[in-house]
Amino acid sequence: MPVCNLSRPIVSLLVWVLASSSAAAPRYFAHEVREDAHGVIAPWYTGLNGQCDLRVRIAAETLKRYPWTRGKDGKPLPDYIYNGRWSIATDGTITPGELKDWGNGDLVQRGSYAIFGLVAYYRYSGDPAAIAHVRLIADAMLDRCRTGPDHDWPDFIISVPNAGEPYGPCSDKGMIQLDLAALAGSALLQAYQLTGNERYVEAPRHWGQLLATKRSHVPGQSPWNRYANPQDVYWNDRQTGGAVLIVRLLDELIRVQGDSDPELVAARDAGRAYIQNMLLPRWYVDETWGRDYWDWEHPVQSESLTEFVPRYFMQYPDAFPNWANDCRNILGLYHTRACVSPLSNGDVYHGAWAYPEGSQCCERSLSYAPMQIGAALAEYGVRANDAWALELARRQLILATYDAHETGVVEDNMDGGQVVAGGWFQISHPLPLAYVLDAMGWLPDVLGPNRENHLMRSSSIIREIDYAPGRVSYTAFDAPAGSVDLLRLAFTPNRIRTERGDLKPSDPQREIGYHLRPLANGDCIVTIRRDGCRQVIVEGNDPARRIDVDQLATAESWAALASGHAGASAELEFEGNQVRFIGSVGPDGGLADVYLDGVRQLCGIDSWNPEQRRGVLWYRSGLPAGKHTLRIVAEGKGNPLSQGSRVNIEAIDVSSADGKVDSGEGGGPADAQRWIFGYTGRSDYIDSQGHAWRPATEIVIRLGHVADAVSAWYVEPRRLTVAGTNDPTLYAHGIHGQDFTAYATVAPGTYHVRLKFMEHRWEIEPAARAVDIFINGRQVVDDMDIAATAAGAPAVVRLVPPSGTKLYDGLNRAVDLVFNDVRPVHGVIAIRFRGNHGGEAIVSALEIGPGAGGQGATPVPATASQPAQ
């Protein structure tokens, strides 16, 4: 998903705090801070539909109500398809920004993310406007952003059109970045699966064939350059982790085409071999998951590849048998890398990580990257059954969705205001639309809406879906082996059937059928395995009810509204907390304003669509329980592409269903967590007692802007043999720095903390290597000399070689400190290491586990060390 290509570096920080904000109130992004009973971040929004559903609706409605502009060819489109620059007033008024060549570089990327988000939004909401926008975006990319037939890469997508004329055809002298070209191909394939338009599969099929036939066969190198036109690009043309996007496109083409094109398969296999043999052994190297952003050379790990790569591994686990460790390592590594810049102060806030898109960007803009990484962590948590990833994802999504207002204004500055969101539209709404929906699909019980019906996740693109009270029916594009769908419903189904007959209860991980998991509030999580079946109908007793407008006493008003005459209106009073308009759309569809309880809504109804469809035209949920009034007023016109003004509402669904909102507080790993600092093994180290130790990655160390946090790691073992231990690996690696903090995400409880040290810095005097340690803000060690602590007494000089360097007792010896009765604060145990007297602190490994951990060494202060004899 997203490669958020913002202005890098930010030249000036736009801090725009809304007039309605209170400077005195503690806040994150756009809202005051709320915490749960354990002090962990809690949703600021308390509506029954949940904060993530609200964020999704705001994003979708902002796209739907975007002002239209005519391109240089005269074709009208919503301006975000032409232009990624924008501004938005506090009342929600959108103004397209000034667009110059360079700023047009994210056109294809922006369109791709919008397609991903809208395809998912249609599945989730049943809103046919999503399909209309997908077609507009896909057509615009194909009509305006391809090379000519005489180009070296003919009819290929110009993926970074930063040259040419904005609002006009793209110049092939723009950067044709191949990983972003593959991203566009994946988006168009989704558009094809949604709409059936052959144009959307023919283009990526051609691009895939070019990628296959033009690949390099040089051993040890990436099969692909970074660019199709490296001669036009002055940056380094090396391709690293972006190769995953190309391989993913090839796999998607193989699936969609339903055959095994030998050229595509050979290229796919070559790409997989490059990833396995060249990239994964260097998983900890900065540029391995970099060189992806379009607007600078970008040799540093990006949030986009950090999530793309693990998700590809999870999709094809047989091809990547070490996927569980590799995914965890790459995802975890991003936390320390993204927080290295002092300009951002990315950190843990009320238990949730918040960080910028990388070590080079974007000051205090900390909202959108956690959405993207959080969605991948959610998937990993489910597939690997990993409590660590599940809780990181839950907290990150709650915190990150503090960013938006109902008006569509987005505050991406952690302290309130705007840094990037005020100028670049992509990260304000297309990215959140895609990734918040994605995360909800993997964590439907804690992030999904309550007392509603939604198809939250599917392993196929959904071509048709109809939501009705007590009945959800849908058609998927395909149904290969392992096809699984997941729904969250306000009712427990009593029948689930496909075109092949009724399904039976079963374990969907093993066989075709369904599984029901009731929730405490009356909802039900439904998992369906449907190999070979494309059509599904789910039925049961729903608390919602449908009102047919032609049965109302005001039926004549609704019929007049359907005509679309200016001023025609209809009104409905209902009792409930959610409402949906069901109707039809088509080429002659018109516009209408919607008034809820007398207040005109920013996003009304647009009934235009390139083809006749039926679905949800408008909805609101999370309303206060009780009576509400809706009034719909036709504008007497359509959007610039419409052939009429018709507004046809056929029915209205309402519900008063209520139930407790469960956002998942009290989660997190409660068992032991063991980390080795500086350890770069792809698989866990198994110690002499059989315990598994993983690379330590959840660390905040401020080394500088565009610095590499891994440069603070002792990647190479300091010693082969360490005295006092049977596990030298636990002590031979480590991290060094003047001041750094390790954050362990944990469940509520009482824990022990075991810290492992080995002092190897023989050339440094004790005072210069003294360490202070703080746990959850409380100092527990002051001025510790590690060597003296390992020796069990104030260190004495054992040897003074001719160089004059004093060699103290206790060097190269293992020593552990243990702290018991440690309780988390804000859901984390934060262990800070600080070098005293201007020196650096070091640590080798840590263990955090439930209960007591025994007794460790007694810290010996550096000031107690003996002078040379």
Side-chain angles (χ1 to χ4, degrees):
M1 299 178 249
V3 188
C4 299
N5 49 17
L6 313 168
S7 44
R8 236 178 314 271
I10 296 296
V11 177
S12 62
L13 173 63
L14 172 61
V15 180
W16 172 41
V17 179
L18 301 180
S20 61
S21 298
S22 169
R27 65 185 292 179
Y28 292 145
F29 304 118
H31 300 282
E32 294 182 12
V33 177
R34 295 176 62 96
E35 59 183 56
D36 65 21
H38 308 287
V40 176
I41 192 71
W44 69 267
Y45 173 77
T46 57
L48 195 63
N49 56 316
Q51 186 167 298
C52 287
D53 177 81
L54 174 71
R55 184 63 179 94
V56 163
R57 179 177 62 77
I58 291 170
E61 289 191 347
T62 304
L63 268 69
K64 289 168 62 175
R65 67 183 181 86
Y66 216 91
W68 288 54
T69 304
R70 291 188 182 274
K72 293 191 175 182
D73 58 0
K75 183 174 182 178
L77 289 173
D79 193 79
Y80 76 84
I81 300 176
Y82 286 121
N83 181 357
R85 304 290 294 172
W86 83 319
S87 64
I88 183 168
T90 55
D91 65 356
T93 301
I94 297 169
T95 303
E98 180 183 4
L99 184 61
K100 297 181 180 179
D101 288 354
W102 184 260
N104 208 33
D106 81 327
L107 187 154
V108 169
Q109 185 189 52
R110 179 177 68 253
S112 298
Y113 289 129
I115 289 174
F116 292 140
L118 289 164
V119 169
Y121 183 67
Y122 174 69
R123 178 205 70 229
Y124 175 81
S125 68
D127 184 349
I131 300 175
H133 280 246
V134 165
R135 294 186 61 157
L136 294 176
I137 298 166
D139 286 339
M141 288 200 298
L142 291 177
D143 291 342
R144 308 162 64 83
C145 301
R146 285 194 286 181
T147 61
D150 297 328
H151 194 274
D152 286 345
W153 291 63
D155 296 316
F156 197 74
I157 189 75
I158 303 170
S159 56
V160 184
N162 62 335
E165 295 186 18
Y167 293 92
C170 301
S171 168
D172 62 12
K173 297 301 181 184
M175 295 187 290
I176 306 177
Q177 191 169 319
L178 292 183
D179 57 347
L180 297 185
L183 183 78
S186 295
L188 286 172
L189 283 178
Q190 288 199 9
Y192 162 69
Q193 294 171 76
L194 174 68
T195 66
N197 189 327
E198 290 289 333
R199 186 183 192 212
Y200 305 154
V201 70
E202 290 169 356
R205 180 185 295 129
H206 171 63
W207 304 343
Q209 290 167 347
L210 287 174
L211 287 164
T213 58
K214 288 180 173 290
R215 66 183 171 92
S216 169
H217 295 267
V218 178
Q221 289 187 6
S222 170
W224 299 280
N225 194 290
R226 189 177 177 186
Y227 305 100
N229 59 335
Q231 70 278 3
D232 296 323
V233 185
Y234 50 83
W235 288 328
N236 189 299
D237 62 349
R238 183 180 179 191
Q239 179 73 266
T240 53
V244 170
L245 289 172
I246 299 172
V247 175
R248 185 185 72 168
L249 172 63
L250 298 176
D251 267 308
E252 290 167 347
L253 285 166
I254 292 167
R255 171 176 171 170
V256 169
Q257 293 178 178
D259 58 21
S260 298
D261 181 321
E263 285 285 350
L264 295 185
V265 172
R268 187 273 313 273
D269 291 347
R272 285 182 175 179
Y274 171 67
I275 295 163
Q276 284 277 29
N277 300 330
M278 303 304 296
L279 296 184
L280 282 172
R282 293 167 50 85
W283 68 271
Y284 57 93
V285 175
D286 214 0
E287 74 163 6
T288 296
W289 314 121
R291 303 200 179 281
D292 180 59
Y293 294 139
W294 62 269
D295 51 355
W296 73 301
E297 186 176 341
H298 193 247
V300 302
Q301 185 170 355
S302 72
E303 102 276 11
S304 50
L305 291 182
T306 297
E307 66 96 5
F308 281 137
V309 171
R311 302 190 88 164
Y312 180 71
F313 296 168
M314 287 186 275
Q315 190 173 4
Y316 299 98
D318 292 342
F320 298 92
N322 195 48
W323 69 269
N325 289 326
D326 288 331
C327 293
R328 181 204 62 202
N329 294 343
I330 295 167
L331 288 166
L333 180 61
Y334 193 71
H335 291 82
T336 189
R337 280 228 164 98
C339 294
V340 73
S341 173
L343 297 181
S344 72
N345 283 330
D347 215 305
V348 177
Y349 297 87
H350 274 81
W353 285 85
Y355 37 74
E357 65 179 56
S359 62
Q360 80 301 331
C361 187
C362 297
E363 300 183 355
R364 292 287 281 164
S365 177
L366 308 184
S367 64
Y368 55 93
M371 293 183 191
Q372 191 170 0
I373 303 298
L377 283 165
E379 179 177 357
Y380 177 76
V382 171
R383 292 191 185 273
N385 191 27
D386 189 292
W388 164 81
L390 291 171
E391 184 64 7
L392 281 177
R394 185 190 74 86
R395 296 182 190 182
Q396 285 187 189
L397 264 294
I398 290 174
L399 177 58
T401 51
Y402 267 57
D403 67 334
H405 296 267
E406 176 73 36
T407 57
V409 170
V410 173
E411 298 187 52
D412 61 318
N413 187 338
M414 187 70 195
D415 311 304
Q418 294 178 323
V419 180
V420 180
W424 287 93
F425 181 65
Q426 180 187 159
I427 65 97
S428 299
H429 293 296
L431 185 152
L433 180 63
Y435 284 98
V436 176
L437 277 169
D438 195 1
M440 290 169 69
W442 291 102
L443 300 179
D445 48 346
V446 294
L447 298 183
N450 297 268
R451 315 305 284 136
E452 301 182 24
N453 299 327
H454 296 278
L455 177 51
M456 305 294 296
R457 165 165 55 90
S458 175
S459 54
S460 302
I461 300 299
I462 301 303
R463 303 193 71 170
E464 299 275 355
I465 191 162
D466 180 59
Y467 288 103
R471 188 178 189 273
V472 178
S473 60
Y474 57 92
T475 301
F477 170 77
D478 61 4
S483 292
V484 174
D485 305 326
L486 187 144
L487 301 92
R488 177 166 175 163
L489 303 176
F491 61 92
T492 299
N494 53 34
R495 187 183 186 190
I496 300 177
R497 52 196 168 99
T498 72
E499 68 267 36
R500 296 185 179 181
D502 286 11
L503 295 179
K504 303 298 182 183
S506 71
D507 179 359
Q509 291 187 348
R510 297 183 178 180
E511 59 185 352
I512 297 171
Y514 67 87
H515 177 265
L516 306 180
R517 179 162 63 92
L519 302 181
N521 69 348
D523 285 355
C524 187
I525 302 295
V526 182
T527 306
I528 299 173
R529 174 78 175 266
R530 54 170 180 82
D531 299 15
C533 300
R534 297 175 56 247
Q535 298 175 338
V536 178
I537 300 175
V538 182
E539 297 173 309
N541 297 319
D542 195 327
R545 65 189 188 280
R546 172 157 290 183
I547 303 169
D548 293 325
V549 298
D550 59 3
Q551 301 299 314
L552 293 171
T554 56
E556 291 184 0
S557 297
W558 291 94
L561 176 68
S563 70
H565 295 313
S569 66
E571 190 169 298
L572 173 75
E573 186 177 272
F574 71 95
E575 187 162 345
N577 53 34
Q578 53 181 283
V579 60
R580 285 164 179 75
F581 293 156
I582 311 300
S584 58
V585 297
D588 61 347
L591 301 170
D593 291 324
V594 177
Y595 293 81
L596 175 63
D597 297 330
V599 178
R600 180 179 178 273
Q601 303 298 289
L602 280 173
C603 184
I605 295 172
D606 186 347
S607 298
W608 174 82
N609 201 287
E611 60 185 20
Q612 293 291 336
R613 280 188 174 266
R614 186 175 182 275
V616 177
L617 306 189
W618 187 92
Y619 69 93
R620 280 292 180 276
S621 53
L623 298 172
K627 290 186 177 180
H628 299 278
T629 301
L630 279 168
R631 182 167 175 258
I632 301 91
V633 181
E635 294 188 23
K637 62 180 181 180
N639 69 42
L641 290 177
S642 179
Q643 302 168 14
S645 59
R646 182 179 62 86
V647 181
N648 187 26
I649 297 173
E650 303 166 4
I652 300 171
D653 293 344
V654 298
S655 177
S656 300
D658 201 356
K660 183 180 179 181
V661 175
D662 178 10
S663 57
E665 69 178 67
D671 53 358
Q673 300 183 59
R674 299 180 179 92
W675 307 354
I676 308 178
F677 293 86
Y679 179 67
T680 59
R682 287 174 55 197
S683 296
D684 293 352
Y685 170 74
I686 307 301
D687 69 17
S688 57
Q689 297 180 0
H691 295 140
W693 298 74
R694 66 179 177 85
T697 55
E698 293 122 274
I699 311 154
V700 173
I701 183 167
R702 315 281 188 207
L703 297 182
H705 194 57
V706 202
D708 183 9
V710 173
S711 65
W713 293 12
Y714 293 129
V715 171
E716 296 297 328
R718 300 295 95 180
R719 299 284 294 182
L720 297 179
T721 301
V722 179
T725 181
N726 293 322
D727 293 296
T729 299
L730 298 181
Y731 299 88
H733 295 273
I735 185 173
H736 62 96
Q738 208 285 317
D739 196 336
F740 55 91
T741 302
Y743 290 98
T745 299
V746 295
T750 302
Y751 297 85
H752 70 267
V753 174
R754 177 181 296 274
L755 304 177
K756 294 181 177 292
F757 300 88
M758 186 268 288
E759 183 59 83
H760 60 275
R761 299 172 295 178
W762 56 268
E763 72 280 12
I764 300 176
E765 289 290 327
R769 63 190 187 213
V771 179
D772 294 341
I773 303 173
F774 304 78
I775 297 180
N776 289 334
R778 181 175 68 88
Q779 187 164 8
V780 294
V781 171
D782 181 14
D783 202 43
M784 179 178 68
D785 180 346
I786 296 172
T789 303
V796 296
V797 176
R798 291 300 184 191
L799 182 66
V800 181
S803 65
T805 301
K806 303 169 186 175
L807 301 181
Y808 287 83
D809 192 16
L811 290 171
N812 306 321
R813 174 173 291 276
V815 64
D816 293 6
L817 301 184
V818 177
F819 305 92
N820 291 310
D821 299 319
V822 177
R823 293 182 178 272
V825 175
H826 300 308
V828 297
I829 295 176
I831 308 168
R832 180 185 176 193
F833 303 86
R834 184 179 67 187
N836 215 341
H837 311 297
E840 290 189 330
I842 63 171
V843 64
S844 295
L846 71 77
E847 174 188 80
I848 294 176
Q855 187 170 355
T858 300
V860 176
T863 53
S865 297
Q866 299 292 319
Q869 300 298 315

